[in-house]
Amino acid sequence: MNEKQRLEQSQIKQATNPNHIDNLERLKNTSSEDLITKYFQTTYQGPDLKKARKRYREEVKFHYDFSIPEDMREIGKGKKFLIRTYGCQMNEHDTEVMAGILQEMGYESTEETQDADIILLNTCAVRENAENKVFGEIGHLKPLKVEKPDLILGVCGCMSQEESVVNRILEKHQHVDLIFGTHNIHRLPQLVKEAMFSKAQVVEVWSKEGDIIENLPKARKGKIKAWVNIMYGCDKFCTYCIVPMTRGKERSRRPEDIIQEVRQLAAQGYKEITLLGQNVNAYGKDFTDIDYTFADLMDDIRKIDIPRVRFTTSHPRDFDDRLIEVLAKGGNLLDHIHLPVQSGSNEILKKMNRKYTREEYLELVRKIREAIPNVTLTTDIIVGFPNETDEQFEETMSLVEEVGFEAAYTFIYSPREGTPAAKKKDDVPEEVKKQRLYRLNELVNKQSAESMKRYEGKVVKVLVEGESKKDPDVLAGYTEKNKLVNFKGPKSAIGQIVDVKITKAKTWSLDGVIVENKVEVK
């Protein structure tokens, strides 16, 4: 919303305020329905996928002056908020930012739905299943809204950037008070204020993005691992993916801001950071004033005294030789790389607009393995892309075997409205797609189990995150290669890197015993 729109909205709020002395007489002759309609029509700012597809090469502006408006700094005193998060690590990080903003407004966090005065659903648009879950939750929250009329119920995140979603909420879920998207999280205080005092649903979704807001508060979970966002958006336009429309064009944070954030986390005692981006290794390609790439950033962060550095998610097209060279230096740069392939068929890769071939992907894997011999590779794979043949699926199976992925996120293709692939007619029966997924998962599970078996009898370094979800007497943490390890040990080991000898390998986790006097404290 620009300044002109805000001014217009302010004037309309004044014009529709029944307590405003100039309007008392006029309002006597105006129905509340007409009043709400006029107010709503003026304040509604919904998403536009057509606008979102356009990539204006306007200058990205950086803002360092974020602050909570004075009249909202204690508005949440004595109140609580709850944020439910769906989807990727980027959404998790956005939730940390929103939680930080709400805490600076005086709110306290709660896990209890009944205790919340604000409930935000931070949504994902990548898969239909996630969307269904959100609408189910919106329905479940209606009785609570009836019971607590002052409860503010909001929907935000990627789903809010889709016209069909916003229209469905407006038509069928009038108990939702607030809808906002991925580009205006920094306006949360103003949006909460509008939701508190508005007579209608507040909708503010920006389809055009471009600015980067620094110095946003964050309420991070724990003091062991942290997300660090290094860039926003994606310019790849894979035909199945809605993300370029919901997250916008690629915009990189300035390197000095990222490095400062990582140094602060190191000083605070964090043991691991994960650098985040929709296409993380495209970082820096949008800079016009400096020649500074993702490899340069990794090389600089390598020199910071923090034990572990990860990144996600990378794209094969942007995984260059310089990045491989830097990662091969090791140190705190871990030898686990998540490298989404999506399909092993050249025909399907072309239809997906991935812009690499099977052969190019395998050559990239060869280069990585040559430089980093002990590397662990994981991936993302979609089966059942429109009109995928049996032969094309078998090409995916053979690629999985050839690369030897130790884990994979596997999905049946889910059509997303607004993407080119969603317009394709599909002649592959659902049962065939499910069978392909089953076979693929069997292969991935087999490869995972085999890779885990190699750890038996070995000592690995484990960053201990806390108690096991299944047994409070057991501790759980992750190796440098991101393998889950469960073991018995003192609670004092939580937050530390310890040596654990592996006694038993399972498909997706390892059991072990702590090696005494081998706690690495940094």
Side-chain angles (χ1 to χ4, degrees), residues 242-303:
I242 194 72
V243 167
M245 280 70 84
T246 62
R247 288 285 179 176
K249 69 186 179 191
E250 290 175 353
R251 294 116 46 226
S252 301
R253 291 177 65 195
R254 300 298 296 187
E256 58 269 24
D257 294 327
I258 298 168
I259 290 167
Q260 180 186 19
E261 183 176 347
V262 174
R263 283 179 176 153
Q264 287 174 346
L265 291 168
Q268 292 165 17
Y270 283 86
K271 298 295 189 295
E272 179 178 307
I273 60 163
T274 301
L275 306 179
L276 292 181
Q278 248 71 46
N279 180 16
V280 71
N281 49 344
Y283 173 83
K285 293 194 171 184
D286 56 314
F287 290 144
T288 56
D289 60 330
I290 57 172
D291 182 12
Y292 191 90
T293 66
F294 183 55
D296 296 318
L297 179 66
M298 292 294 278
D299 208 18
D300 284 338
I301 290 177
R302 186 178 61 84
K303 300 163 190 170

Side-chain angles (χ1 to χ4, degrees), residues 132 222 305 329 362:
N132 292 338
D305 187 20
K329 295 178 181 180
L362 290 173

Side-chain angles (χ1 to χ4, degrees), residues 139-164:
H140 291 150
L141 289 170
K142 186 172 184 178
L144 182 61
K145 176 67 176 176
V146 172
E147 179 187 327
K148 296 174 64 176
D150 291 335
L151 167 70
I152 294 176
L153 176 57
V155 178
C156 56
C158 290
M159 274 176 57
S160 300
Q161 297 287 152
E162 300 179 83
E163 295 105 318
S164 60

Side-chain angles (χ1 to χ4, degrees), residues 13-285:
K13 280 192 173 184
Q14 177 176 305
T16 57
N17 183 356
N19 297 318
H20 197 277
I21 193 165
D22 295 335
N23 297 322
L24 289 175
E25 286 302 315
R26 182 180 58 78
L27 290 177
K28 287 178 183 177
N29 299 315
T30 306
S31 72
S32 59
E33 186 177 346
D34 290 341
L35 193 62
I36 290 173
T37 298
K38 184 174 182 181
Y39 173 82
F40 173 77
Q41 287 174 340
T42 309
T43 59
Y44 173 86
Q45 187 175 348
D48 186 332
L49 287 180
K50 288 182 180 178
K51 277 186 183 178
R53 283 192 195 96
K54 295 179 181 177
R55 286 291 182 266
Y56 297 109
R57 285 297 171 191
E58 296 178 3
E59 180 186 0
V60 175
K61 295 182 175 64
F62 296 83
H63 302 270
Y64 297 87
D65 55 352
F66 174 83
S67 63
I68 307 293
E70 195 170 337
D71 61 341
M72 295 299 287
R73 284 178 190 166
E74 293 190 0
I75 197 94
K77 206 166 185 181
K79 297 179 180 179
K80 296 181 179 180
F81 72 90
L82 170 63
I83 305 177
R84 291 218 169 101
T85 311
Y86 306 79
C88 68
Q89 295 95 333
M90 193 72 73
N91 278 21
E92 295 278 0
H93 185 63
D94 286 348
T95 288
E96 291 179 343
V97 172
M98 290 188 286
I101 292 173
L102 290 170
Q103 286 179 2
E104 290 205 357
M105 292 165 63
Y107 289 92
E108 291 181 18
S109 176
T110 181
E111 296 296 324
E112 300 298 325
T113 308
Q114 290 287 340
D115 295 340
D117 299 280
I118 292 182
I119 297 176
L120 298 178
L121 305 181
N122 188 7
T123 63
C124 171
V126 172
R127 310 216 64 76
E128 186 178 10
N129 187 44
E131 191 171 299
N132 292 338
K133 283 183 181 178
V134 171
F135 277 111
E137 187 62 22
I138 291 172
H140 291 150
L141 289 170
K142 186 172 184 178
L144 182 61
K145 176 67 176 176
V146 172
E147 179 187 327
K148 296 174 64 176
D150 291 335
L151 167 70
I152 294 176
L153 176 57
V155 178
C156 56
C158 290
M159 274 176 57
S160 300
Q161 297 287 152
E162 300 179 83
E163 295 105 318
S164 60
V165 168
V166 172
N167 291 336
R168 181 175 170 183
I169 293 173
L170 295 177
E171 290 169 12
K172 299 182 178 179
H173 302 283
Q174 284 82 13
H175 59 289
V176 173
D177 304 286
L178 173 61
I179 305 171
F180 62 101
T182 59
H183 306 313
N184 54 338
I185 288 173
H186 62 286
R187 290 223 345 113
L188 185 56
Q190 293 87 342
L191 295 171
V192 168
K193 182 178 180 180
E194 289 179 28
M196 281 179 167
F197 302 111
S198 171
K199 292 180 178 295
Q201 290 168 299
V202 175
V203 183
E204 183 180 286
V205 181
W206 296 355
S207 296
K208 181 180 175 298
E209 76 301 311
D211 291 359
I212 290 178
I213 315 297
E214 292 289 351
N215 300 328
L216 291 169
K218 301 175 186 72
R220 300 186 191 273
K221 292 182 180 178
K223 292 285 184 180
I224 302 171
K225 298 166 77 170
W227 309 114
V228 176
N229 192 298
I230 68 167
M231 67 179 299
Y232 305 88
C234 180
D235 286 349
K236 289 296 182 282
F237 287 96
C238 301
T239 58
Y240 54 82
C241 187
I242 194 72
V243 167
M245 280 70 84
T246 62
R247 288 285 179 176
K249 69 186 179 191
E250 290 175 353
R251 294 116 46 226
S252 301
R253 291 177 65 195
R254 300 298 296 187
E256 58 269 24
D257 294 327
I258 298 168
I259 290 167
Q260 180 186 19
E261 183 176 347
V262 174
R263 283 179 176 153
Q264 287 174 346
L265 291 168
Q268 292 165 17
Y270 283 86
K271 298 295 189 295
E272 179 178 307
I273 60 163
T274 301
L275 306 179
L276 292 181
Q278 248 71 46
N279 180 16
V280 71
N281 49 344
Y283 173 83
K285 293 194 171 184

